[in-house]
Amino acid sequence: MSEEDEFGAYHALTESEDDRRWAFGTGFTDALEGVDTTVPDGVDGAALACYCLMLGDDALIYSHRLQQWITRAPELEEETALGNIALDLLGQARMLLARAGRADRTGRDEDRLAFFREESEFRNVRLVERCDNDFAELVARLLVFSTFRLALFDGLRTSGDPVLAAIAAKGVKELTYHRDYAAQWVVRLGDGTELSHNKMQAGLDVIWPLVDELFVPHPIEASLHGVAVDVQTLRTEVDVVLDTVLATAGLDRPATAPMATIRGRAGRDGVHTEALGYVLAELQSVARAYPDATW
Amino acid sequence: MTTIEPLQQHFEDTIAHEHRIEPRDWMPEGYRKTMIRQIGQHAHSEIIGMQPEGNWITRAPSLRRKAILLAKVQDEAGHGMYLYSAAETLGADRADLTDKLVQGRQKYSSIFNYPTLSYADVGVIGWLVDGAAICNQVPLCRSSYGPYARAMIRICKEESFHQRQGYELLMTMMRGTDAQRQMVQSAVDRFWWPSLMMFGPPDEASTNTEQSMAWGIKRHTNDELRQRFVDMSVPQADKLGVTLPDTALKWNAERGHYDFGAVDWDELAAVIGGNGPCNIQRVAHRKAAHDDGAWVREAATAHAAKAAKAAQG
Ligand SMILES: [Fe+2]
Ligand SMILES: [Fe+2]
């Protein structure tokens, strides 16, 4: 190799070719580029947009909580795995937010929706907002979240909205990996040592009150017949998976009661826990400090 | 002696012919130790290097930038793992190397002891820090130690992606608002000199260079690489529209290189000596993650042992 070849990578920097390879699939500016985003006949665009925000916000906020683990994981393999999962969910969020902004004809792009909405406009479930106390809580929540979302996306593959169906088809592969990763760790920690067993049980106990909310049907879902998935129908499937993992791990299914709502309103209605305000303060800080900037 | 000499001869012939030393080949203890230290410190740099940029993942101002940054920081974890594996082919152990890092007994690149104070720092780190890393590392793709050379080929490819991503972020910011341009300039002002320090002390003060060059572990001197980095960066700074914070920076037609001002070697000595702006913070953060994860790693080991026992019946 000659010296000039050796340093070719560096010299190539100022060449003005637009090579998308180096973005590793993260560099796209339009999450739905090339996709026909026409809202199908008979589907209410505003309702569809709201539904996309629900699913998109779940992924966006949970990805944020996973991002907070980066450089803090117990092993380097976990750094890369958690980074992968956070990236997958971020990718899902980008597509769903972009879909929402087209479907409701407001023209808001993914960044407008992520960085410039108020807390009460976020439609995510309360489960995704918490800050993990430790690695046991992380894998407990990841198991519940990914099992639920996988069942949901599996159903969405036949959605009457072809864009949602395509997003779901891609997401199913990712979520299958997320669920397997979480299940393996729940089993390891449940079975490992007395300390890890106790921490794993405590992690499950802490998040369990937030599980019920996942299966509470919302009027928006009900109004999108054939497009949205009825979450009530997912409960059995999710329970079977969770019970199997917990039994393998030697853990008990927590008996804790569901967290109450406020006159029936919870995350999907924009009524959140105190934790979300801090997530948004961090997530939105730079974008809001420079509202005219381009990044 | 009679058994060592042919082996020693074979080792030296291998180096002389620019062939590679492989894990099972005989090698002098000094070579093995030097390689373990070099690869270990490189691995530590990848892992500690996740922190300054990781600092901005949750605050990235667009979802696209967030995805790019998250993927980059994840790449660095991959580089660290890959390098620790290369060190393990020499008989080192990742856990032991990590202990040395968190106990402050092994170094990592001095640059990561500087703070990241705005989102422009993410771009400047990509451009200058990954850029300097490429200058340092591209010659290592021809390192005499096979597993290290092969690791470097893969890593250099990804580092050059990082560099281009960083530069592209800066280009975009420079086309944005005045506040963004100021942010970029301020980041360049803070990172330019520390980037030059990444090449290490000047040649006359560098202790290991001669032996390392003879062993094919090092292929260019610190000053040669530093000069190369300056020469490559100046036109890029011009294209970007930023000013490099060095009034002595000037093209020297006679030398065919840019002249540049004196690096503050006292600052480098302070940073290497543990008194940089972030040394304590970076090591404490890594130590906390490692300590907090101890029960998780113990549980995984215990579970694997139980599973193996069960499989035996
Ligand atoms: Fe790297
Ligand atoms: Fe890098």
Side-chain angles (χ1 to χ4, degrees):
Chain A
M1 218 187 302
S2 79
E3 297 240 323
E4 285 317 304
D5 293 343
E6 240 185 43
F7 291 93
Y10 203 106
H11 283 299
L13 189 62
T14 37
E15 288 166 12
S16 57
E17 77 195 275
D18 180 22
D19 185 356
R20 288 180 158 233
R21 272 178 317 139
W22 54 266
F24 290 124
T26 52
F28 57 85
T29 42
D30 180 356
L32 293 176
E33 192 177 294
V35 175
D36 177 6
T37 52
T38 321
V39 175
D41 283 345
V43 175
D44 175 21
L48 176 61
C50 185
Y51 187 57
C52 289
L53 286 181
M54 292 175 176
L55 303 182
D57 289 345
D58 282 355
L60 180 69
I61 303 302
Y62 191 37
S63 177
H64 186 93
R65 285 303 189 189
L66 292 170
Q67 289 157 32
Q68 291 177 326
W69 272 95
I70 302 299
T71 73
R72 292 180 169 83
E75 216 14 306
L76 299 179
E77 284 75 4
E78 274 42 73
E79 292 286 354
T80 55
L82 296 175
N84 254 327
I85 296 170
L87 260 175
D88 286 344
L89 291 174
L90 180 58
Q92 291 177 14
R94 294 182 63 188
M95 289 188 282
L96 287 160
L97 295 188
R99 179 66 179 141
R102 305 275 174 86
D104 68 5
R105 296 170 177 278
T106 56
R108 290 175 294 178
D109 65 11
E110 56 182 56
D111 289 335
R112 198 74 217 161
L113 287 165
F115 298 109
F116 293 92
R117 273 182 301 154
E118 300 302 316
E119 182 175 328
S120 61
E121 296 172 278
F122 276 77
R123 295 283 191 156
N124 56 278
V125 290
R126 293 177 295 179
L127 175 72
V128 299
E129 298 165 7
R130 302 179 44 84
C131 179
D132 294 309
N133 196 33
D134 62 13
F135 191 72
E137 208 178 302
L138 161 68
V139 294
R141 178 162 63 159
L142 183 59
L143 177 68
V144 169
F145 179 78
S146 55
T147 304
F148 164 73
R149 194 169 173 89
L150 176 57
L152 177 63
F153 271 42
D154 193 38
L156 271 183
R157 284 197 283 192
T158 51
S159 168
D161 176 32
V163 180
L164 262 185
I167 294 171
K170 181 173 185 290
V172 160
K173 291 182 209 119
E174 298 167 347
L175 293 161
T176 304
Y177 161 71
H178 305 174
R179 189 185 68 175
D180 287 352
Y181 175 82
Q184 282 178 26
W185 269 111
V186 170
V187 170
R188 276 188 204 115
L189 297 182
D191 178 62
T193 63
E194 196 186 336
L195 176 66
S196 72
H197 178 88
N198 294 340
K199 280 178 180 279
M200 194 60 241
Q201 188 64 56
L204 289 164
D205 292 349
V206 163
I207 59 136
W208 218 258
L210 292 159
V211 174
D212 254 50
E213 186 184 334
L214 302 175
F215 303 98
V216 176
H218 194 273
I220 289 286
E221 286 165 3
S223 77
L224 288 164
H225 193 71
V227 170
V229 168
D230 176 359
V231 286
Q232 287 171 285
T233 63
L234 307 176
R235 181 99 214 204
T236 319
E237 182 189 341
V238 170
D239 276 343
V240 167
V241 174
L242 295 180
D243 288 343
T244 308
V245 175
L246 296 187
T248 312
L251 294 159
D252 297 325
R253 187 186 173 92
T256 31
M259 185 184 281
T261 58
I262 301 177
R263 283 191 82 83
R265 294 165 72 221
R268 295 278 186 243
D269 310 291
V271 177
H272 296 282
T273 63
E274 291 177 353
L276 184 62
Y278 291 90
V279 170
L280 297 182
E282 193 180 31
L283 173 75
Q284 299 178 331
S285 58
V286 180
R288 286 192 176 209
Y290 303 94
D292 303 324
T294 39
W295 305 96
Chain B
M1 280 308 275
T2 43
T3 50
I4 289 293
E5 270 168 18
L7 289 169
Q8 175 91 36
Q9 192 57 51
H10 182 259
F11 172 83
E12 275 162 19
D13 289 349
T14 307
I15 302 270
H17 290 98
E18 299 236 339
H19 292 156
R20 277 164 182 172
I21 308 295
E22 294 300 332
R24 269 176 290 181
D25 294 344
W26 182 90
M27 61 190 88
E29 262 325 285
Y31 176 89
R32 184 185 297 275
K33 274 197 189 131
T34 306
M35 273 326 298
I36 290 176
R37 198 186 59 223
Q38 185 182 358
I39 300 174
Q41 291 185 358
H42 189 169
H44 299 332
S45 300
E46 301 285 355
I47 299 304
I48 295 288
M50 295 167 69
Q51 290 182 37
E53 289 189 278
N55 183 36
W56 286 93
I57 294 173
T58 54
R59 291 178 289 169
S62 82
L63 298 184
R64 172 174 175 260
R65 292 294 173 198
K66 189 188 287 285
I68 290 173
L69 183 57
L70 187 48
K72 176 185 173 178
V73 172
Q74 193 198 16
D75 282 349
E76 306 301 1
H79 296 172
M81 282 195 286
Y82 208 47
L83 288 164
Y84 283 126
S85 301
E88 287 183 331
T89 63
L90 290 157
D93 169 59
R94 193 213 283 188
D96 175 56
L97 290 169
T98 302
D99 281 341
K100 287 195 170 109
L101 169 66
V102 299
Q103 289 162 12
R105 290 192 287 133
Q106 273 189 349
K107 306 275 186 215
Y108 52 88
S109 177
S110 56
I111 192 76
F112 302 122
N113 291 316
Y114 288 85
T116 51
L117 302 177
S118 83
Y119 205 77
D121 291 26
V122 169
V124 169
I125 287 182
W127 172 39
L128 294 179
V129 175
D130 284 81
I134 294 167
C135 278
N136 266 329
Q137 291 169 15
V138 164
L140 297 176
C141 296
R142 294 190 296 147
S143 166
S144 59
Y145 188 58
Y148 189 39
R150 288 188 287 276
M152 289 320 304
I153 290 170
R154 176 176 143 177
I155 288 171
C156 279
K157 268 188 201 152
E158 293 187 358
E159 301 300 6
S160 81
F161 281 129
H162 298 166
Q163 196 198 18
R164 296 177 64 169
Q165 286 167 334
Y167 195 69
E168 190 260 343
L169 167 61
L170 298 178
M171 277 291 192
T172 306
M173 290 183 71
M174 291 302 287
R175 286 195 292 263
T177 63
D178 285 343
Q180 286 184 290
R181 280 184 284 277
Q182 277 165 26
M183 216 188 276
V184 173
Q185 184 62 56
S186 147
V188 170
D189 290 346
R190 280 180 286 108
F191 275 98
W192 172 249
W193 290 108
S195 301
L196 295 190
M197 294 178 199
M198 285 176 71
F199 299 93
D203 291 349
E204 71 259 23
S206 184
T207 44
N208 301 326
T209 301
E210 213 171 305
Q211 179 65 75
S212 294
M213 300 272 265
W215 275 340
I217 288 173
K218 208 171 151 86
R219 296 189 164 272
H220 305 275
T221 72
N222 295 350
D223 286 336
E224 283 166 14
L225 290 170
R226 190 169 8 250
Q227 179 70 61
R228 189 183 292 274
F229 175 72
V230 171
D231 290 348
M232 289 193 286
S233 298
V234 172
Q236 292 169 357
D238 286 347
K239 186 169 177 190
L240 202 52
V242 294
T243 309
L244 296 173
D246 180 0
T247 48
L249 196 63
K250 213 172 110 221
W251 177 251
N252 181 329
E254 211 172 295
R255 290 204 306 128
H257 291 293
Y258 284 93
D259 291 337
F260 56 98
V263 175
D264 182 351
W265 298 118
D266 291 343
E267 181 179 315
L268 178 62
V271 175
I272 289 179
N275 297 316
C278 299
N279 297 55
I280 292 171
Q281 174 191 336
R282 299 286 186 242
V283 175
H285 184 99
R286 181 74 192 100
K287 186 173 189 306
H290 190 65
D291 292 351
D292 290 349
W295 70 271
V296 177
R297 295 189 300 274
E298 278 156 26
T301 309
H303 170 71
K306 284 187 202 175
K309 209 171 171 193
Q312 280 175 0

